[in-house]
Amino acid sequence: MESASQAGGGDIDIVYFKNLRELISYLDQLIMDNQRKAEAINKDIEALKSRVDKFQALQRIIEELIEKNKEVLPTAIELTGLKIYIDPRPTDEYDILKEGLDAIMDRNSVLKKVRDVVDILQSKVGQSDTMVVVEMRNGVPTKIVFRGW
């Protein structure tokens, strides 16, 4: 497998495989890596849940005690599109982790579907050593080119 990144237009990568078996192994590795990330994030989310509940209860009490129109200090500083959180509120941290987990799970679902399609292709094509070129967008194969068919 070889990779050639392409700048512009989002996260695009071109990856070369010697055959479909190599592509399937690569997809399996991506799926396993995403699953490990999802499990780690899930543990962090579970650990945060009690803090989030306590924080939300405290926040409701404070909102009742002060005027609701008071300006709330921002929880993040934004620099050139990058949000920086220092000692974030538990709810902010939870939202960030949940958003990341949802994206990983969505990507993994798509990867599994692509892997199933590639597996079907390999079963129909056989053990051919046809070069395979794959365009990846945001970590997911979007185009497959067979060379030397």
Side-chain angles (χ1 to χ4, degrees), residues 59-93:
Q59 189 174 21
R60 283 190 293 275
I61 293 168
I62 291 172
E63 285 173 356
E64 290 174 9
L65 294 175
I66 64 172
E67 295 175 28
K68 293 190 181 208
N69 294 337
K70 292 269 184 180
E71 187 175 324
V72 179
L73 293 175
T75 59
I77 301 166
E78 188 167 340
L79 298 171
T80 65
L82 175 66
K83 287 188 177 183
I84 300 170
Y85 293 81
I86 299 171
D87 289 330
R89 298 181 304 193
T91 52
D92 292 333
E93 189 173 356

Side-chain angles (χ1 to χ4, degrees), residues 100-116:
L101 176 62
D102 291 346
I104 289 169
M105 296 305 291
D106 288 346
R107 185 170 49 244
N108 229 23
S109 176
V110 172
L111 283 171
K112 287 176 182 178
K113 289 175 185 174
V114 170
R115 196 237 184 258
D116 290 344

